[in-house]
Amino acid sequence: MKAASIVEFVRDTYKTDEFIPLHAPTFNGNEKEYVLETIESTFVSSVGKFVDDFERKIEVYTGTAKAVATVNGTAALHTALYMAGVQRGDLVITQALTFVATCNALYHMGADPIFVDVSPLSLGLCPKAVEEYLDEFAVLTEQGCTHKQTGQRIKAVVPMHTFGHPVELNELVAVCAKWQLSLVEDAAESLGSFYKGKHTGTIGEFGAVSFNGNKIITTGGGGMVLCRTQELGLRTKHVTTTAKVPHPYEFFHDEPGFNYRMPNLNAALGCAQMEVLEGYLSKKRHLAMLYQDLFNNTDFQFIVEPDYACSNYWLNAVMCPDEQTRDEVLAVTNKAGVMTRPIWQLMSRLPMFENALRGDLTHSEFIEKHLVNLPSTPI
Ligand SMILES: *Cc1c(COP(=O)(O)O)cnc(C)c1O
């Protein structure tokens, strides 16, 4: 199969001669009306009915005990790690194959990453690889799970549901229980993705969702912390809103807090986008099936949802037969105005993490060299 036939297919599918982005937001619902309502009411900032409405809508849709809206997905993840009790000097297990925000959040908690391999099926953190790493390098002591060589506490495991495809969560839950680790899901890309009927981000102690402009639905910028219990949720809300103790006029804050609250203006957009989410999901699934047909019986391998999951197919992805073909596909498609992208460079290669601890990264390295993301705006 030639790169030119990918260009042809994408142009036929989107029916346009103009530039085709990787993923663009669409606003065909009540977005204007709700955003205008915040302006007319003057409640554009950190207090307003849309913030509460948006949180309730996410709770109902995902089934989480409590959802707490934040300014962006990175802030949601930062808060989730803080709430999970990650402390300065701790180690946190995550995947090398992820967007940098996952690692930035744990870095700013003062923690260091341990990079473990992904599963070639989900493209997300592999429970077997985590277990093997821990068996070899960790020991349970009084402080909990401890790295044998550095003596640091290993506090949490942060899987990321790559492009919306859920990782094997039951297996990760079991490893975390055995090793006394907190499970925090980076569900930034996976709103609308379910693992064995449960929404991603609701199985760990905390999950973090993003509503950045390129995600399945957007609030401009925004995020959400999904909390497993009501109690954790109330404390999460407290720390994201400067930890102010409610009082009609006094200022008293009972712990160091964040100002991570989502503005009402953004939440208004989110409420309107939630109304169209189901429609986006079915359009995305349809588009993914078209890509799947295109690559059927070729030496390209289209990434499909793992059989235990229902994916949102946020970003379509294909594995090229070799690195040279991958480079050719990227060059030809982008030159023709059809935007495609390689996957992220492994976190373990970035300057700030090049000395980080790591396990075997065979699958991550293979995917890094072969994968291309394809235009995925729902049509
Ligand atoms: C988008 C994304 C984030 C962060 O979201 P922002 O809202 O952009 O801060 C975190 N992790 C992953 C994997 C993402 O794709």
Side-chain angles (χ1 to χ4, degrees):
M1 182 168 176
K2 289 264 172 354
S5 32
I6 300 178
V7 172
E8 192 186 347
F9 170 83
V10 174
R11 290 224 167 272
D12 282 356
T13 306
Y14 281 92
K15 299 186 176 57
T16 174
D17 294 327
E18 286 172 25
F19 172 73
I20 299 172
L22 198 64
H23 200 286
T26 34
F27 305 113
N28 298 319
N30 290 318
E31 288 85 356
K32 268 189 194 157
E33 188 191 319
Y34 295 173
V35 170
L36 198 61
E37 194 181 321
T38 68
I39 295 170
E40 284 170 349
S41 72
T42 77
F43 284 92
V44 294
S45 192
S46 50
V47 176
K49 70 165 203 179
F50 286 110
V51 175
D52 298 330
D53 278 2
F54 189 37
E55 288 177 342
R56 295 304 84 74
K57 278 187 157 77
I58 291 286
E59 284 165 8
V60 170
Y61 181 72
T62 64
T64 190
K66 189 126 180 68
V68 177
T70 58
V71 284
N72 59 50
T74 311
L77 200 56
H78 191 196
T79 306
L81 292 167
Y82 175 83
M83 285 297 302
V86 172
Q87 289 181 356
R88 226 170 278 276
D90 281 345
L91 291 167
V92 173
I93 293 176
T94 190
Q95 54 205 64
L97 191 75
T98 183
F99 178 57
V100 71
T102 315
C103 298
N104 284 341
L106 68 91
Y107 176 87
H108 288 295
M109 284 306 307
D112 299 314
I114 301 176
F115 295 118
V116 169
D117 211 3
V118 295
S119 144
L121 276 185
S122 70
L123 313 180
L125 193 64
C126 173
K128 264 217 188 77
V130 174
E131 186 145 40
E132 278 168 19
Y133 186 89
L134 290 168
D135 282 341
E136 187 171 351
F137 295 107
V139 60
L140 279 177
T141 68
E142 260 168 37
Q143 65 164 2
C145 186
T146 301
H147 197 279
K148 282 192 224 166
Q149 285 156 353
T150 71
Q152 287 168 284
R153 177 173 75 150
I154 308 176
K155 177 58 190 162
V157 176
V158 183
M160 195 278 280
H161 305 293
T162 307
F163 307 142
H165 302 308
V167 303
E168 294 164 276
L169 283 161
N170 282 353
E171 289 78 357
L172 278 177
V173 167
V175 179
C176 287
K178 182 174 163 195
W179 287 95
Q180 301 174 16
L181 300 165
S182 301
L183 182 62
V184 174
E185 294 173 67
D186 183 344
E189 307 184 348
S190 64
L191 182 73
S193 298
F194 292 80
Y195 171 81
K196 301 194 173 175
K198 290 185 191 151
H199 196 279
T200 50
T202 67
I203 290 132
E205 218 171 309
F206 296 94
V209 179
S210 167
F211 307 107
N212 190 34
N214 63 344
K215 298 300 202 287
I216 187 157
I217 64 164
T218 187
T219 58
M224 194 73 77
V225 188
L226 309 182
C227 312
R228 203 168 52 191
T229 67
Q230 185 75 16
E231 204 184 343
L232 290 173
L234 291 174
R235 230 179 78 67
T236 302
K237 185 79 178 184
H238 185 63
V239 302
T240 57
T241 54
T242 69
K244 184 180 183 296
V245 176
H247 188 281
Y249 46 83
E250 290 287 354
F251 286 102
F252 180 70
H253 307 262
D254 61 0
E255 65 181 299
F258 298 104
N259 176 19
Y260 275 173
R261 191 169 177 144
M262 177 186 282
N264 201 38
L265 195 61
N266 301 77
L269 205 54
C271 286
Q273 290 265 284
M274 274 309 279
E275 295 170 356
V276 296
L277 175 61
E278 284 299 343
Y280 287 180
L281 285 169
S282 57
K283 286 176 178 172
K284 277 184 164 292
R285 177 162 292 268
H286 177 68
L287 179 60
M289 295 312 123
L290 295 178
Y291 276 123
Q292 197 182 348
D293 284 349
L294 173 73
F295 293 112
N296 208 4
N297 298 320
T298 69
D299 47 2
F300 287 75
Q301 190 205 339
F302 183 70
I303 305 291
V304 292
E305 63 196 353
D307 57 11
Y308 53 77
C310 181
S311 174
N312 67 1
Y313 281 102
W314 169 57
L315 269 195
N316 290 297
V318 70
M319 294 285 280
C320 301
D322 50 63
E323 200 175 350
Q324 193 191 336
T325 311
R326 193 273 312 252
D327 293 344
E328 195 183 312
V329 167
L330 288 170
V332 170
T333 51
N334 281 294
K335 186 146 184 266
V338 170
M339 187 174 169
T340 62
R341 257 190 351 200
I343 199 166
W344 318 282
Q345 287 186 38
L346 298 190
M347 295 300 107
S348 47
R349 291 189 212 289
L350 299 184
M352 57 287 198
F353 302 122
E354 66 189 0
N355 296 319
L357 295 165
R358 69 201 60 188
D360 174 76
L361 297 175
T362 304
H363 292 306
S364 307
E365 283 160 3
F366 186 85
I367 297 163
E368 182 192 30
K369 288 195 191 99
H370 290 77
L371 191 139
V372 170
N373 284 122
L374 302 160
S376 301
T377 306
I379 24 165

